[in-house]
């Protein structure tokens, strides 16, 4: 018998907490997401996001980084990693009541993937294939990927976020291709270059140049993220800019 001053955890139904990570990158000029094959039930062999159960001695951020490293070999200490949603449908996991905290992350290079833990075959999959339902995902991971991509594309208007898809030193053309791949549209080269050069978010590494292209010519300047983190204006998707101009009656 438990007295009124004592707490009995058995009086409440068990609820587990997990983390799921939507790791995004640009590969082959397309926005791609990192998936794993599940090595155990439920959804054995199915594609899913890297993730897993929160341990009693860790916080959510630590769990997200641990699961990402264990299941894919990606060490995300220097990568963008941010919570964006909580998913708590009672039927989302057939094992028990599981609430998951979802993260989205950016990595500029996902070439050295290593399977581990209860996951197999980490791989990059174009987001467009998930959008078109060409791939079935375990649990409610389709919904989580959809929400993460929507959130990420909104944040992409900040060039500082877009630059995280690039290596530490990059050309303006490489940064522009991030937008073109993510938004599936063409960006005016001249306007984009003027906006980036006029901002205080990036530093021109004038002493360092990228290698010349196959046709020779003067190599492009290399840039890096500046210590200053403000910008007069972000980068707008072309159709967004057209809509604003129409609303002003121009």
């Amino acid at each position: 018998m438990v007295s009124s001053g004592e707490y009995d955890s058995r009086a409440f139904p068990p609820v587990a907490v997990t983390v799921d990570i939507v790791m995004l990158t640009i590969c082959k000029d397309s926005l791609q997401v990192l998936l794993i094959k599940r090595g155990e039930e439920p959804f054995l062999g199915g594609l899913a996001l890297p993730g897993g159960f929160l341990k009693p001695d860790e916080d959510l951020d630590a769990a997200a980084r641990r699961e990402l490293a264990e299941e894919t070999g990606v060490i995300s200490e220097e990568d963008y990693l941010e919570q964006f949603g909580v998913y708590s449908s009672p039927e989302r996991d057939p094992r028990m009541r599981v609430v998951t905290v979802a993260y989205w992350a950016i990595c500029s290079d996902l070439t050295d993937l290593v399977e581990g833990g209860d996951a197999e075959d980490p791989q990059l999959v174009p987001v467009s294939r998930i959008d078109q339902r060409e791939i079935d995902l375990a649990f409610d991971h389709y919904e989580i990927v959809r929400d993460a991509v929507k959130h990420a594309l909104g944040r992409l208007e900040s060039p500082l976020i877009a630059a995280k898809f690039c290596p530490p030193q990059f050309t303006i053309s490489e940064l522009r291709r991030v937008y073109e791949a993510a938004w599936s549209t063409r960006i005016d080269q001249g306007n984009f270059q003027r906006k980036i050069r006029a901002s205080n978010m990036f530093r021109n590494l004038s002493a360092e140049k990228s290698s010349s292209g196959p046709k020779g010519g003067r190599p492009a300047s290399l840039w890096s993220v500046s210590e200053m983190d403000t910008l007069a204006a972000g980068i707008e998707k072309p159709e967004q800019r057209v809509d604003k101009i129409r609303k002003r009656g121009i």
Side-chain angles (χ1 to χ4, degrees):
M1 194 68 183
V2 179
S3 69
S4 59
E6 295 178 347
Y7 172 78
D8 184 7
S9 61
R10 295 170 298 179
F12 301 91
V15 178
V17 177
T18 61
V19 292
D20 287 301
I21 305 97
V22 182
M23 175 65 79
L24 299 171
T25 192
I26 301 292
C27 182
K28 298 179 181 178
D29 291 327
S30 72
L31 183 65
Q32 307 212 12
V33 63
L34 177 59
L35 300 177
I36 53 94
K37 282 186 179 179
R38 287 188 53 79
E40 60 182 30
E41 295 289 358
F43 305 104
L44 175 64
L47 288 174
L49 294 167
F53 286 91
L54 177 73
K55 292 183 177 181
D57 60 346
E58 65 184 355
D59 63 24
L60 289 165
D61 289 0
R65 296 186 187 281
R66 173 183 55 78
E67 287 289 346
L68 193 59
E70 288 178 356
E71 296 189 345
T72 69
V74 175
I75 307 299
S76 61
E77 293 297 334
E78 301 301 324
D79 299 313
Y80 194 78
L81 184 65
E82 180 184 272
Q83 291 183 27
F84 72 90
V86 176
Y87 297 80
S88 59
S89 171
E91 288 77 38
R92 64 173 305 276
D93 193 313
R95 293 168 293 188
M96 62 179 296
R97 182 69 191 274
V98 177
V99 175
T100 197
V101 178
Y103 285 77
W104 72 288
I106 295 172
C107 189
S108 61
D109 183 10
L110 287 175
T111 54
D112 297 321
L113 300 174
V114 180
E115 66 181 40
D118 58 357
E120 302 173 355
D121 190 23
Q123 57 190 275
L124 294 176
V125 174
V127 168
S128 59
R129 295 191 63 195
I130 298 175
D131 285 341
Q132 295 165 12
R133 295 287 190 146
E134 296 178 9
I135 295 175
D136 291 327
L137 299 182
F139 304 104
D140 53 358
H141 289 184
Y142 170 81
E143 179 185 358
I144 295 175
V145 171
R146 180 199 62 193
D147 292 348
V149 170
K150 181 179 179 180
H151 182 80
L153 294 185
R155 297 291 301 278
L156 202 64
E157 290 188 9
S158 166
L160 280 178
I161 301 299
K164 294 183 181 295
F165 285 101
C166 298
Q169 297 182 7
F170 52 87
T171 66
I172 292 180
S173 293
E174 288 175 323
L175 184 61
R176 175 174 50 81
R177 285 196 292 272
V178 168
Y179 286 96
E180 292 182 335
W183 284 342
S184 299
T185 189
R186 301 294 295 176
I187 301 293
D188 183 87
Q189 297 184 34
N191 288 338
F192 185 84
Q193 185 154 148
R194 283 191 294 272
K195 184 170 289 264
I196 295 302
R197 288 181 176 275
S199 77
N200 58 5
M201 300 181 84
F202 302 103
R203 181 165 58 96
N204 189 345
L205 306 175
S206 56
E208 302 176 58
K209 303 287 184 179
S210 65
S211 58
S212 300
K215 296 182 180 180
R218 189 172 67 178
S221 297
L222 290 173
W223 294 71
S224 68
V225 174
S226 171
E227 294 181 359
M228 301 182 69
D229 61 358
T230 58
L231 182 68
I235 304 299
E236 292 182 332
K237 197 172 181 179
E239 52 264 39
Q240 291 174 334
R241 186 163 56 250
V242 170
D243 288 343
K244 288 182 179 180
I245 291 173
R246 287 173 177 168
K247 288 179 181 179
R248 290 197 299 264
I250 299 176

